[in-house]
Amino acid sequence: MSTQAYMIRVIKAGMTVARQAVPAQAGLRGEAVVVQAQEGVVLQLSQAASNQGPARIRTRRAGPDLWVNVNGDSPDQPDVIIKGYFDLTQPPVLQGLDAAGEVQSYRAADVSPLASLHQPAGAPVVRDEGLYLGGKAATSLIGGVSDDVLLWGAGALGAYGVYRAVSGGSDPVSTLDPIKAYADNSQATVPTVATYEKAGVKGVSRANLEAVNSAVAALEGSDVDSVAKVQKMVDAYVRILAKANGHMVADASPEQPLTQAEFQALGVNLKSLETADPTLKLFDDVIGDRPASAVDSVAKLNALVVVVEKLLDTVGGSTLSTPLTSADFVTIGVDKVTTANLDAVKSALVEAGKTGVKVDRLQQVSDLVAGYDKVITYANGTAANDPASAPGAATYAAVNAVIGLAADATDGGQALADRALRLLNEVVGSKAAAGVDTVRELNDIAAAVDHVMKLAAGDTTAKVTSADLGQLGISAVTNELTSEARFQDLWTAIAATDDQGSGVDTLDEIRALVTTRLGTIGPSEALATLRSYADGSGSAPLPAVYDAAGVKNVGTVNVDAVNSAVAARTASDLSTVAAVQHLVDVYEQIRVAANGPGGADAADLTAPDFRDIGVNLGVLEQGTAEHVARAIGLYNEVIEQQVFDGVNAVSDLNGLAVQVGKVFNTISGTAAANPLTYPDLVAMGVLDANYAVKSNFSQANLVDAMKSALAATPVGANDAPNLQLADLQAMATSYDRILSYANGAAASYPIASPAAAEYANVHAHIGLAAGGTLESLSAGGSLDGLTALADNALALFNDVIGAKSASSDALTVDKLDAIGRAVDHVMQLAVLPDLGSAVPLLTDSDLGLLLGTDVVISEQADPAKFQHVLASIAGSANTGVGLNSYTELKSLYQNPLL
């Protein structure tokens, strides 16, 4: 007799709605578990240890109830009693998972729909062999039915043919045709529950029908051309819907993991998960954490695959064209990911890949997110945070940070580990979130804490450097290279504290030792410290170091900027106090100039000024003297658009120099390798930070248009375009208006039509529409009303632009110029009293450009008709009033076709 414990789950609409434990030998002890029968549910039996269903069960009818012995022993000793089973028209289906993880029904000699469970009173009884998971072979099944039942007839064995088909008998092929048709064409008749029942497929209900049909639609007809294939697909989706019960944490007796074969049976595209997560543990967890409504179509399953793939690619260090977003984490059921901590979370995922940590469970991802959220929240710039909210060693481990002694009591004992963790948390708390939003930053802080604690514990090889002090947020007035004796005194003092770290487990204690032992420094030592920092040694100098060296005007407001300039130079560049002072003075001019949009103008810096603080000007200092002067002039204007926080590092200034350089490269036609981008335009102040493109065009459309306008910018004799920031801003504003106007619907615009000056701002040459002169007038032409002609030319030009699509018609300056020429050619005909001997400039290409796909007459193929078109235009008013709209031109053009 088996001593197995079991579990019975109640599954409705693909979701587990209840579960009960079935103790071992419950029936033998008379302690049967009672389950109330419900219409249309599945009752799934599973072994508590393996999750596999029992291979054989015994059942019997007891009035309206069904008695089930899960050990295959006597049916008179039920382990489970299903109350009211025989009162229902659609009683529960008994199922289990076989050894392959496939869902199977219990069937054979005496379970519905065979006769023994629903036979009328007095009918013969089926011989009691028990029910088998997945049924028995057809011959065994027949052998398991008594002769009396076979004689009793079809009424008792009404569903026998269905079970025979599912168990391997011949398929009712014709009944599969509607399912195959829907697989081949989603516009075909949608299969119903009855469609599947007629085909002999079990498990399809109103609750899961749409999900099943979404799988059929994702497949081909050849994938569903047998009952076995369709049943496999349905069984897979039933399993998925059952799995999706909204519980991330594994059950005491977890369901068998979903397999690749099951997803492939549904037409789900697993993409790289087939190799990146071959056991699908993470994907299986994601499905289990989602409600059934989140996985009830193949499209939804594919969307989950995309997110899981992005997550695993991030772990693998891949550069994604579409990076992970906070919304992606919401999609897979992980909360607490925000724009504030997203980069931190991604850094922890990347670190997992670097250190060989396998990310294959959703709980692991959730713990990582929760851990970093706790770290980021704690890092609020206050060292005196509540210790109760401090991250623990497990929190740092969850984000894949290596925190040394703070997580390991092996070397120094638990007391030292606790104090190392206390100091680590105090440092983290004293930082802003941006100072701890990568795992590398956490590791660096932990390494500095380790150096302090190991030195205190008597490790004579440990050294606390000025860089370590910087990680702790403590700035030294010098460094160990230029002031080795002072640092040796500091190390001795730390080593003399308590071996368990009690004398250095707070920042105040360490600061006191630093202040006492490093003390103050004189001018020569201070200058040496600055020069050492220029060569890459030591922590960032404090304002006090500059003051000690005799350098003026360095304070908390500008010390980071000045330090970046010092770091961009070499020690040989800073051999005197005057050289350092020059850096400070140049950066002070930048600080005054960087007062944001609309601020007062400031004196321009020169190219040598920028070079002196280590700025790489690139193309801005290449070319003629006039070119360099104008490029540096624009660069100064761009700096004035910034606030000081945006330019308080040489790297910021280098970035702006690259962006301004792209403008000049675009003008000269040499920007292909590093083209101008939308963020460049925003960063330079050409576009306002709050600017948003309109619904009819994209950022890329605007950038392409701007690049074409720059390429059309006039260049003077000295290869020096006279371009100021105001010109760029006017160019962007004007092109925004032009593209907004091009909404693909002539004479129906959201804004007023662009003015001629706006086309001039983008360097488009639109001829008469801009107040120019006609290219050619034949004898007999009249110039009377030329102003009106120009106005009507602009009206026609704008109407044609309005009929274009900003998103698909590539309205570059070249295209605008071509439209302008075509409009001029129309107006040249309009001023003629008739064609006469005039040589018209208007071509079928012109009309194609103006009217688009409405042009059907070829100048070469049908010259007579085309001549009629020209005559119609020439016969219009000389002022162009009859041609000043897209509709009117189209009407004149089409007239010969009527």
Side-chain angles (χ1 to χ4, degrees), residues 55 104-109 130-138 140-141 163 167:
Q104 301 286 355
S105 297
Y106 285 94
R107 54 186 184 270
L131 308 179
Y132 293 83
L133 184 60
K136 300 175 70 177
S140 299
L141 182 59
Y163 277 118
S167 300

Side-chain angles (χ1 to χ4, degrees), residues 261-426:
E262 288 176 296
F263 289 111
Q264 289 160 354
L266 298 174
V268 174
N269 183 2
L270 291 173
K271 302 169 80 68
S272 67
L273 298 193
E274 293 183 356
T275 54
D277 184 25
T279 60
L280 300 181
K281 286 182 182 178
L282 180 58
F283 190 45
D284 189 78
D285 282 355
V286 168
I287 289 175
D289 185 55
R290 301 286 72 210
S293 60
V295 296
D296 60 2
S297 74
V298 169
K300 292 179 181 178
L301 289 169
N302 283 335
L304 290 177
V305 169
V306 169
V307 176
V308 174
E309 182 184 46
K310 284 166 69 174
L311 192 151
L312 292 176
D313 283 348
T314 300
V315 173
S318 300
T319 300
L320 306 182
S321 57
T322 306
L324 273 171
T325 65
S326 55
D328 288 333
F329 286 93
V330 173
T331 297
I332 60 173
V334 177
D335 59 6
K336 294 187 177 181
V337 179
T338 65
T339 53
N341 65 19
L342 176 61
D343 287 342
V345 169
K346 289 195 288 189
S347 87
L349 291 171
V350 171
E351 197 67 24
K354 288 180 178 178
T355 55
V357 175
K358 191 171 181 62
V359 179
D360 60 358
R361 301 313 298 254
L362 187 60
Q363 186 66 56
Q364 185 181 1
V365 177
S366 183
D367 289 345
L368 181 153
V369 170
Y372 230 132
D373 181 65
K374 187 168 188 174
V375 171
I376 291 287
T377 301
Y378 198 72
N380 60 4
T382 303
N385 277 327
D386 179 7
S389 62
T395 301
Y396 289 107
V399 303
N400 302 307
V402 179
I403 61 171
L405 284 176
D408 186 1
T410 304
D411 289 341
Q414 192 60 52
L416 187 65
D418 290 344
R419 286 176 178 133
L421 181 60
R422 182 185 308 155
L423 178 58
L424 172 63
N425 280 330
E426 186 180 358

Side-chain angles (χ1 to χ4, degrees), residues 589-648:
Q589 282 186 263
I590 292 173
R591 187 187 69 79
V592 172
N595 52 13
D601 289 340
D604 282 357
L605 292 164
T606 66
D609 289 332
F610 288 114
R611 285 196 298 268
D612 286 346
I613 63 170
V615 175
N616 182 0
L617 293 171
V619 300
L620 301 188
E621 56 180 342
Q622 297 172 8
T624 65
E626 188 174 353
H627 181 281
V628 172
R630 289 181 176 175
I632 295 299
L634 179 58
Y635 184 48
N636 274 290
E637 286 190 281
V638 168
I639 290 173
E640 290 174 7
Q641 291 293 300
Q642 316 301 313
V643 295
F644 186 54
D645 280 350
V647 291
N648 68 343

Side-chain angles (χ1 to χ4, degrees), residues 31-400:
E31 298 172 357
V33 172
V34 178
V35 178
Q36 183 63 48
Q38 301 177 52
E39 290 276 358
V41 303
V42 170
L43 298 180
Q44 189 178 92
L45 299 170
S46 60
Q47 296 176 16
S50 67
N51 201 43
Q52 187 175 328
R56 175 173 175 262
I57 62 176
R58 300 288 297 279
T59 61
R60 60 160 290 189
R61 179 172 183 167
D65 304 334
L66 178 66
W67 287 9
V68 181
N69 183 287
V70 296
N71 291 313
D73 299 326
S74 170
D76 296 320
Q77 296 177 338
D79 298 296
V80 177
I81 297 175
I82 305 174
K83 299 288 290 184
Y85 181 94
F86 294 94
D87 291 336
L88 303 179
T89 56
Q90 189 183 359
V93 176
L94 292 178
Q95 291 183 344
L97 298 181
D98 64 17
E102 300 285 348
V103 177
Q104 301 286 355
S105 297
Y106 285 94
R107 54 186 184 270
D110 67 349
V111 69
S112 178
L114 296 180
S116 63
L117 296 185
H118 285 282
Q119 58 189 349
V125 178
V126 177
R127 184 164 67 247
D128 181 15
E129 283 194 326
L131 308 179
Y132 293 83
L133 184 60
K136 300 175 70 177
T139 54
S140 299
L141 182 59
I142 294 173
V145 181
S146 70
D147 292 341
D148 291 338
V149 171
L150 293 175
L151 290 172
W152 183 47
L157 296 173
Y160 175 73
V162 172
Y163 277 118
R164 183 170 180 267
V166 174
S167 300
S170 61
D171 294 337
V173 176
S174 62
T175 61
L176 287 172
D177 287 347
I179 300 172
K180 291 162 60 181
Y182 190 65
D184 286 330
N185 180 7
S186 60
Q187 302 304 311
T189 302
V190 180
T192 65
V193 173
T195 306
Y196 291 99
E197 289 177 345
K198 186 177 180 181
V201 177
K202 307 300 292 182
V204 181
S205 66
R206 285 180 297 177
N208 64 20
L209 178 63
E210 288 188 14
V212 170
N213 281 339
S214 80
V216 173
L219 298 168
E220 303 291 338
S222 59
D223 298 320
V224 290
D225 60 1
S226 73
V227 170
K229 291 179 181 179
V230 179
Q231 189 65 59
K232 183 178 181 181
M233 179 266 294
V234 171
D235 290 346
Y237 225 135
V238 168
R239 277 249 293 148
I240 288 171
L241 293 172
K243 170 80 69 172
N245 59 12
H247 297 291
M248 182 193 308
V249 180
D251 301 327
S253 177
E255 289 88 352
Q256 188 79 11
L258 297 163
T259 65
Q260 289 193 23
E262 288 176 296
F263 289 111
Q264 289 160 354
L266 298 174
V268 174
N269 183 2
L270 291 173
K271 302 169 80 68
S272 67
L273 298 193
E274 293 183 356
T275 54
D277 184 25
T279 60
L280 300 181
K281 286 182 182 178
L282 180 58
F283 190 45
D284 189 78
D285 282 355
V286 168
I287 289 175
D289 185 55
R290 301 286 72 210
S293 60
V295 296
D296 60 2
S297 74
V298 169
K300 292 179 181 178
L301 289 169
N302 283 335
L304 290 177
V305 169
V306 169
V307 176
V308 174
E309 182 184 46
K310 284 166 69 174
L311 192 151
L312 292 176
D313 283 348
T314 300
V315 173
S318 300
T319 300
L320 306 182
S321 57
T322 306
L324 273 171
T325 65
S326 55
D328 288 333
F329 286 93
V330 173
T331 297
I332 60 173
V334 177
D335 59 6
K336 294 187 177 181
V337 179
T338 65
T339 53
N341 65 19
L342 176 61
D343 287 342
V345 169
K346 289 195 288 189
S347 87
L349 291 171
V350 171
E351 197 67 24
K354 288 180 178 178
T355 55
V357 175
K358 191 171 181 62
V359 179
D360 60 358
R361 301 313 298 254
L362 187 60
Q363 186 66 56
Q364 185 181 1
V365 177
S366 183
D367 289 345
L368 181 153
V369 170
Y372 230 132
D373 181 65
K374 187 168 188 174
V375 171
I376 291 287
T377 301
Y378 198 72
N380 60 4
T382 303
N385 277 327
D386 179 7
S389 62
T395 301
Y396 289 107
V399 303
N400 302 307

Side-chain angles (χ1 to χ4, degrees), residues 571-607:
S572 60
D573 297 326
L574 305 176
S575 58
T576 66
V577 172
V580 180
Q581 187 66 60
H582 178 60
L583 299 188
V584 175
D585 294 343
V586 170
Y587 232 125
E588 180 61 14
Q589 282 186 263
I590 292 173
R591 187 187 69 79
V592 172
N595 52 13
D601 289 340
D604 282 357
L605 292 164
T606 66

Side-chain angles (χ1 to χ4, degrees), residues 686-699:
V686 176
L687 292 174
D688 184 87
N690 296 319
Y691 169 80
V693 294
K694 310 305 186 292
S695 60
N696 65 315
F697 65 93
S698 67
Q699 292 179 358

